[in-house]
Amino acid sequence: IVYQNDNITPLILCEIKAPHEKNDIQQLKSYLNAEGSPIGVGFNGKNISRFCRPYPKEFDILRDLPYEHEYQTVKNSSNVIENIKEKESRAYLRFKQAYINILSIQHTGAVLPQIHFDILEIDEKTTIPYSIMLKAEKTLKDIVNNNEITFEIFENIFKNLISVINTIHSYKIIHRDLKPENIFYFNKKLVLGDFDIAKFNDSEYIKLHETQRGERLANYQFSAPEQSTIKFDEIDERADLFALGQILYWIITKTTLRGQEKINLKRFDSQYSKYEDLIYNLLQNEREKRLCSINEINIFLDSQNKAKQEMEEISNSFKTLRLFEGIIDKFTHEKSYKSFKKIDDKKTINEIM
């Protein structure tokens, strides 16, 4: 890694691989995103690849590495870094596609209502697409950061979230960018917004833009690991469920979790133990180990509640037996079956009962 002048911030990341190794380019891009480096160079003994990362998860090919003075103006240099017009076109198509497709599910109440889409022309070279939506009172991030979240409030948020996520999934939409800033409080409930990089089923929705694997933007805290490692078409509902797990963990702890750590939520409130196993499952790095749908989440929680009730019934049975044993001890003179006696006075019988 070549660092910038502060000796902390990466400037150029170089990766060398053997000629026979595969996925060298994708791995280099993954490293660039992880380190936050704007420039990357890959060499496999045969070919040299040079990339610029002007925006998170978006890459352009460089013909050569820029000189230091060129780097200072690199974002304004279309022949070195990017074709700005092409980039704006990609963002525009993605933005418009989301607007049109979300209109078809506004009646569900699961998304923030959109009113109008248009383009603002700044000058001949600059246009800005925009949409007008009904104003939400606040985001989930605002709610959690500015209020004390009790267990009862947490459960209400949880039920609201699985309802709206289940709705978009039932309409064959995968959000891919769920995070507290994209969840809005509107009309006394939580709804979803910002579907710019969502995956819409090709057979049921308009497709204006071919979303690429790298288009994950900057949602690194909450997005599923596979969003940067597998093809866009392979992304499924489990990506949103990973984000749900992170959001639930964040609501309770104010942090997100990476890696398969044991989850201990009882230190915040013993009632949260109900959700420890669920959140642990949703945050599995390997999606094959996660639950696959909101329906499976409900079944999972129901089975846990049923098991808890059965344990409580068993515990209560033992308590009853111990109580009965105490009664026998109290009204038996000797520890022998011969010491039982007939009791027929009302007062003693009432005391036993």
Side-chain angles (χ1 to χ4, degrees), residues 117-171:
F117 176 88
D118 213 331
I119 298 173
L120 177 64
E121 294 186 1
I122 305 299
D123 53 43
E124 292 183 357
K125 296 182 179 179
T126 308
T127 59
I128 300 175
Y130 69 91
S131 66
I132 300 175
M133 296 172 284
L134 293 180
K135 183 180 179 182
E137 297 175 41
K138 60 193 79 174
T139 66
L140 178 60
K141 185 175 183 179
D142 297 327
I143 294 172
V144 174
N145 287 341
N146 298 316
N147 297 276
E148 180 184 355
I149 304 301
T150 63
F151 179 75
E152 290 72 23
I153 293 174
F154 171 85
E155 285 216 306
N156 287 334
I157 292 174
F158 170 73
K159 292 172 183 176
N160 195 161
L161 286 178
I162 62 173
S163 174
V164 293
I165 293 173
N166 188 53
T167 297
I168 67 168
H169 286 179
S170 68
Y171 281 87

Side-chain angles (χ1 to χ4, degrees), residues 88-345:
E88 287 182 347
S89 176
R90 293 204 309 269
Y92 167 76
L93 291 174
R94 192 170 61 213
F95 187 70
K96 185 176 182 180
Q97 172 182 276
Y99 175 84
I100 295 172
N101 290 334
I102 291 304
L103 284 176
S104 66
I105 67 164
Q106 282 194 173
H107 67 281
T108 65
V111 299
L112 191 62
Q114 303 175 119
I115 301 173
H116 181 68
F117 176 88
D118 213 331
I119 298 173
L120 177 64
E121 294 186 1
I122 305 299
D123 53 43
E124 292 183 357
K125 296 182 179 179
T126 308
T127 59
I128 300 175
Y130 69 91
S131 66
I132 300 175
M133 296 172 284
L134 293 180
K135 183 180 179 182
E137 297 175 41
K138 60 193 79 174
T139 66
L140 178 60
K141 185 175 183 179
D142 297 327
I143 294 172
V144 174
N145 287 341
N146 298 316
N147 297 276
E148 180 184 355
I149 304 301
T150 63
F151 179 75
E152 290 72 23
I153 293 174
F154 171 85
E155 285 216 306
N156 287 334
I157 292 174
F158 170 73
K159 292 172 183 176
N160 195 161
L161 286 178
I162 62 173
S163 174
V164 293
I165 293 173
N166 188 53
T167 297
I168 67 168
H169 286 179
S170 68
Y171 281 87
K172 299 183 180 179
I173 300 172
I174 301 169
H175 193 286
R176 294 185 66 233
D177 196 22
L178 289 174
K179 55 186 176 182
E181 299 94 317
N182 288 343
I183 300 169
F184 300 89
Y185 187 70
F186 178 79
N187 276 355
K188 299 181 180 180
K189 67 175 184 177
L190 296 174
V191 297
L192 305 178
D194 195 354
F195 284 78
D196 288 8
I197 63 167
K199 179 182 176 183
F200 299 95
N201 184 277
D202 291 347
S203 64
E204 299 189 24
Y205 295 95
I206 292 173
K207 187 173 185 179
L208 302 178
H209 172 65
E210 187 73 41
T211 305
Q212 303 300 315
R213 169 167 36 192
E215 291 178 338
R216 191 175 67 144
L217 303 185
N219 182 12
Y220 305 118
Q221 281 186 294
F222 296 91
S223 62
E226 66 265 20
Q227 291 211 93
S228 60
T229 59
I230 66 176
K231 295 179 180 178
F232 175 75
D233 289 342
E234 296 172 351
I235 297 290
D236 60 23
E237 288 82 358
R238 288 172 291 185
D240 282 350
L241 298 188
F242 180 93
L244 171 64
Q246 284 285 31
I247 291 168
L248 297 176
Y249 187 81
W250 173 83
I251 292 172
I252 300 169
T253 68
K254 303 300 189 293
T255 60
T256 54
L257 191 65
R258 286 293 179 185
Q260 304 305 304
E261 298 179 28
K262 183 174 176 58
I263 293 177
N264 178 14
L265 302 177
K266 291 187 286 291
R267 56 197 171 103
F268 299 95
D269 187 324
S270 60
Q271 297 178 93
Y272 285 124
S273 60
K274 172 182 177 180
Y275 292 96
E276 285 180 343
D277 290 341
L278 172 64
I279 294 175
Y280 180 77
N281 176 283
L282 297 180
L283 292 182
Q284 293 294 306
N285 284 332
E286 298 176 40
R287 65 175 181 169
E288 292 77 14
K289 296 180 179 179
R290 289 179 222 144
L291 297 172
C292 297
S293 66
I294 297 298
N295 184 51
E296 286 194 5
I297 288 178
N298 288 326
I299 293 173
F300 181 88
L301 290 176
D302 287 344
S303 65
Q304 278 199 323
N305 289 335
K306 185 177 180 181
K308 183 180 178 181
Q309 289 173 0
E310 289 175 351
M311 289 300 297
E312 288 177 351
E313 288 174 2
I314 293 172
S315 177
N316 290 334
S317 297
F318 279 112
K319 287 179 181 178
T320 303
L321 288 173
R322 284 193 293 270
L323 178 63
F324 183 65
E325 184 180 24
I327 293 171
I328 292 175
D329 283 344
K330 182 175 180 179
F331 294 95
T332 301
H333 299 290
E334 299 175 9
K335 303 298 185 215
S336 166
Y337 71 92
K338 294 180 180 180
S339 64
F340 283 101
K341 66 177 183 177
K342 179 181 178 182
I343 299 173
D344 51 16
D345 66 283

